[in-house]
Amino acid sequence: MLSTSEILDRDLLHYIVALPIAVFSPLAITAGVETWTTILKQRTDAEVTIFGEITAGWLDTVRRNKGLFSTSMK
């Protein structure tokens, strides 16, 4: 059983994923990916939550026409 200090803080995980995607600069995305990878190595139980947040962030970039989905790159 997980101790209180080991329980995932879903709000914190949300911001750890959402902030680099919101900033959407190469440095922010690189830092985000490194952070997400480190968390996943340490806490395999966070996998579903983190990948869910990454998916939501990716879908948001589609909605906001950022990066690969930018209309200015056509």
Side-chain angles (χ1 to χ4, degrees), residues 44-65:
T44 56
D45 59 313
E47 188 174 292
V48 172
T49 303
I50 289 178
F51 282 119
E53 292 292 339
I54 291 169
T55 301
W58 181 260
L59 291 172
D60 191 51
T61 66
V62 174
R63 268 185 246 117
R64 294 188 300 147
N65 299 318

Side-chain angles (χ1 to χ4, degrees), residues 33-54:
V33 170
E34 288 179 16
T35 303
W36 308 335
T37 303
T38 301
I39 292 169
L40 288 169
K41 286 178 184 176
Q42 298 296 316
R43 295 292 302 267
T44 56
D45 59 313
E47 188 174 292
V48 172
T49 303
I50 289 178
F51 282 119
E53 292 292 339
I54 291 169

